Amino acid sequence: MAELGNDIDRAAGLLRSGELVAIPTETVYGLAADAIDPGAVVRIFEVKNRPAFDPLIVHVADIDEFSHYAGPIPPAAVKLAEQVCPGPVTFIFRKSRVIPDLVTSGHATVGLRIPDHPVTLQLLKSLEFPLAAPSANPFGFVSPTSAMDVQDQLGDRIPYILDGGDCQVGLESTIIDFSGHEPRILRLGGLSLEYLETLLQQRVAIQTSSSNPRAPGMLTSHYSPGRRLLVGDIPALIDSHPDLELGVLAFRHFYPGVVKQHQRILSPAGDPQEAARNFFRRLRAFNRLPVDLVIAEWLPDEGLGRAINDRLRRAAASADMPDRGAPPATNQ
Ligand code: TXA
Ligand code: MG
């Protein structure tokens, strides 16, 4: 089991010696290593069982650091960053030579993000290097939103989990690519599309096609909840599965026909932000319940509801593969 605590100096010491440390952010917990040290970064891929083609996000403490690790940085990106950082956004720029190719999976671009969490910001400020950190879950599985989630999934593979409490956003960062002519979104996430478009004063294309592994968070099958999952009209799905033990993941309220203990509600008030905060936690809960099939409903497709629907879609696709168990071994 990993040691669990809030000792920032201890976390910094381990990171300086090339070890991995799980860190809290406002979105989800990350599995961090010194981004400049390929020997440390390669451990991230090993521990997560992550394919080498899936690049890592680099976390920094301040916008001023962007130009050290990437460039050119378009003025529109600087303006946006000044408004949303620290926050649940990752910026893609052309990378500088300082960033090892391993971090970006050989891509000419790098993802940079300033997480909005006091503990991790303090950690980043105390370090001499930025932190490469994917979500702290085995590749393909549900992202962790508490220190205990990390302990459950990776605790036997890392020395330390920096406990910063429950994640306040609950969905991974929105990824926006500024490396081309026009900004475009590669992953829907914790900052809504509508808000981004308001700040940028333009429509932004979404390019999250699963055929393109530019952002594997966008692979069709991802976020495996460990149970078969169907998304649609809950009463109809209950009717059409009379012989199965069902779990229900509902937006606002319980449904008749399934015992309450097997139902989870995302937000009784119908608030998409609250639903986002609860989403992975509630999905994860079905692992511990004796259910054969989880049925869920779509949220209104706007704001964070859109990002939740995206994850429901992918969780349902991955859950089509029963008994997925541990992800397949990879070279890295
Ligand atoms: O909120 C978050 O972004 C969390 C916290 C820990 O910061 N991190 C996270 O990392 O979600 P991860 O590795 O689970 O997802 C990062 C996504 C991947 O799908 C990856 O392909 C994409 O970001 N990505 C990273 N660098 C990229 C790049 N240069 N070009 C395109 N996509 C990139
Ligand atoms: Mg992830």
mmCIF file of all heavy atoms in Angstrom, residues 77 156 190 252:
data_model
loop_
_atom_site.group_PDB
_atom_site.id
_atom_site.type_symbol
_atom_site.label_atom_id
_atom_site.label_comp_id
_atom_site.label_asym_id
_atom_site.label_seq_id
_atom_site.Cartn_x
_atom_site.Cartn_y
_atom_site.Cartn_z
ATOM 1 N N ALA A 77 -4.212 32.512 -26.949
ATOM 2 C CA ALA A 77 -4.034 31.493 -25.916
ATOM 3 C C ALA A 77 -3.578 32.132 -24.605
ATOM 4 O O ALA A 77 -4.029 31.741 -23.528
ATOM 5 C CB ALA A 77 -3.014 30.445 -26.367
ATOM 6 N N ASP A 156 -0.514 -0.316 -4.630
ATOM 7 C CA ASP A 156 0.596 -1.261 -4.463
ATOM 8 C C ASP A 156 1.745 -0.977 -5.435
ATOM 9 O O ASP A 156 2.734 -1.695 -5.444
ATOM 10 C CB ASP A 156 0.096 -2.698 -4.658
ATOM 11 C CG ASP A 156 -0.598 -2.889 -5.995
ATOM 12 O OD1 ASP A 156 -0.904 -1.876 -6.655
ATOM 13 O OD2 ASP A 156 -0.838 -4.050 -6.379
ATOM 14 N N GLY A 190 -13.676 19.676 -17.879
ATOM 15 C CA GLY A 190 -14.153 20.468 -16.754
ATOM 16 C C GLY A 190 -14.490 21.922 -17.037
ATOM 17 O O GLY A 190 -15.141 22.570 -16.218
ATOM 18 N N ARG A 252 -31.181 12.950 -11.660
ATOM 19 C CA ARG A 252 -31.788 13.707 -10.568
ATOM 20 C C ARG A 252 -32.521 12.883 -9.517
ATOM 21 O O ARG A 252 -32.623 13.302 -8.372
ATOM 22 C CB ARG A 252 -32.800 14.709 -11.140
ATOM 23 C CG ARG A 252 -32.248 15.605 -12.193
ATOM 24 C CD ARG A 252 -33.235 16.682 -12.545
ATOM 25 N NE ARG A 252 -33.567 17.473 -11.372
ATOM 26 C CZ ARG A 252 -34.044 18.701 -11.427
ATOM 27 N NH1 ARG A 252 -34.230 19.278 -12.584
ATOM 28 N NH2 ARG A 252 -34.334 19.351 -10.338
#
